[in-house]
Amino acid sequence: MSKRIIFTGAEVFDGTGSAPRRCDITIEDGRFLEIGTSLDGDEVVDLTGSTVLPGLFDCHVHVTSSGIDFMRHIQSPFSYQFYQAEQNLMATLACGITTVRDASGADLGVQRAVEDGLIKGPRLQISVTALSQTGGHGDGWMPSGCVIPHSIPHPGRPAGIVDGPVEARKKVRELARAGANVIKVFTSGGVLSPRDNPRHAHFRDDELDAIVIEATALGMFVMAHAQATDGIKSAIRAGIRSIEHGIFLDAEAIEMMLDKGTWLVPTLVAPKAVIDAAEMGLSVPESSVQKAKEVMEVHKESFTQAVKAGVKIAMGTDSGVGPHGNNLEELYLMEQGGMPIYDVLAATTSSAAKLLGWDEQLGTIEPGKRADLVVLEGPLGSTLQGIKSKIKKVYKDGVCVSS
């Protein structure tokens, strides 16, 4: 017989962007049953003095990546990444994130291991491998002639380099076969890739059109690593659902995003993570460190302009570049970039769920949805700085998974 659990006494932020309010929550069979006052149940959890949030989202992570120390990366056994992924997933869950979109690296085996309870972690939406043109952000060719890809291909993770619409179309089908839930494409250069420039657009329109058409036919959205202004605009024209990073936004790109309803996943913490890693003495290429320093301020300004214009925003961190478990640092950077606190939290809950297409099941505290909860010690406060230190418990599908 199922047990009805009541959480009482807390201030509840329901995920919609409204201010927290005092109410009770009942959970049964892993779903929210009622939200209100004077509710009945079989077990009472007293949360007086606490604040409750819906389970949080991170829409851009790499759970099989554990930092950007290139020497360590090339000296690690191939399978080591999957054991590290278990630790990364648990660290992510412990900071209140119960759902992630993996932006390349995690394969069907990682996703299924979480679903089947073999390992503990947030539920995953996976892209498996990101698509790159030759010489693009996903091309691991080094000046020495060695190739160090972001994620080494294996039978469940196809190689991602494609050139021309025919190759692009076929690769989307291969990724769907491998279990991808979303397609990721690099439409510009990036910070960590040594042989390209974040200001340069990648892929031509016919290639991007083929990717989007094929993904749409397979029932999948497309996300674009897009830092360059032209690469952002190419992605928007093609109908890609979300712009990841969006460093060099301009007024025209923002207007195009508003017109098309395109999402922004800013990952403000990512360039900072590159600089921090270098300062810690890790073997990060100097070209990457220099590019990270060059983009930090313009990245923040682009985000601020997008917020002012009303662009749809969902939280993402690029964790894997920086440490897993530090994901909530992004919230304070979003706040510093001009986004009101409740809007930041909505971007990390209900808006993120909409971006992923999972808003019917997740993202808000309301009857019928899956019972993911984050319990914070004390009131929410006037800033999101240090919010991770307030986390007392995390629930996923009504079960306490971290305390």
mmCIF file of all heavy atoms in Angstrom, residues 2 11 41 137 273:
data_model
loop_
_atom_site.group_PDB
_atom_site.id
_atom_site.type_symbol
_atom_site.label_atom_id
_atom_site.label_comp_id
_atom_site.label_asym_id
_atom_site.label_seq_id
_atom_site.Cartn_x
_atom_site.Cartn_y
_atom_site.Cartn_z
ATOM 1 N N SER A 2 0.576 2.219 -0.840
ATOM 2 C CA SER A 2 1.393 3.418 -0.950
ATOM 3 C C SER A 2 1.234 4.291 0.280
ATOM 4 O O SER A 2 0.200 4.287 0.949
ATOM 5 C CB SER A 2 1.012 4.208 -2.203
ATOM 6 O OG SER A 2 -0.330 4.633 -2.133
ATOM 7 N N GLU A 11 8.469 27.479 3.596
ATOM 8 C CA GLU A 11 8.149 28.447 2.549
ATOM 9 C C GLU A 11 8.424 27.751 1.218
ATOM 10 O O GLU A 11 9.507 27.207 1.002
ATOM 11 C CB GLU A 11 9.024 29.689 2.671
ATOM 12 C CG GLU A 11 8.781 30.505 3.925
ATOM 13 C CD GLU A 11 7.436 31.230 3.897
ATOM 14 O OE1 GLU A 11 7.065 31.719 2.808
ATOM 15 O OE2 GLU A 11 6.770 31.285 4.941
ATOM 16 N N GLY A 41 -2.151 12.879 5.863
ATOM 17 C CA GLY A 41 -1.201 11.916 5.311
ATOM 18 C C GLY A 41 -0.791 10.876 6.332
ATOM 19 O O GLY A 41 -1.247 10.902 7.492
ATOM 20 N N HIS A 137 35.111 23.120 -33.394
ATOM 21 C CA HIS A 137 35.292 23.039 -31.947
ATOM 22 C C HIS A 137 35.393 21.592 -31.458
ATOM 23 O O HIS A 137 36.007 21.339 -30.416
ATOM 24 C CB HIS A 137 34.129 23.758 -31.246
ATOM 25 C CG HIS A 137 34.276 23.860 -29.766
ATOM 26 N ND1 HIS A 137 35.390 24.392 -29.154
ATOM 27 C CD2 HIS A 137 33.440 23.491 -28.758
ATOM 28 C CE1 HIS A 137 35.236 24.347 -27.836
ATOM 29 N NE2 HIS A 137 34.065 23.812 -27.574
ATOM 30 N N ALA A 273 35.826 29.016 -15.119
ATOM 31 C CA ALA A 273 36.372 27.711 -14.741
ATOM 32 C C ALA A 273 37.688 27.427 -15.466
ATOM 33 O O ALA A 273 38.600 26.805 -14.893
ATOM 34 C CB ALA A 273 35.352 26.615 -15.047
#
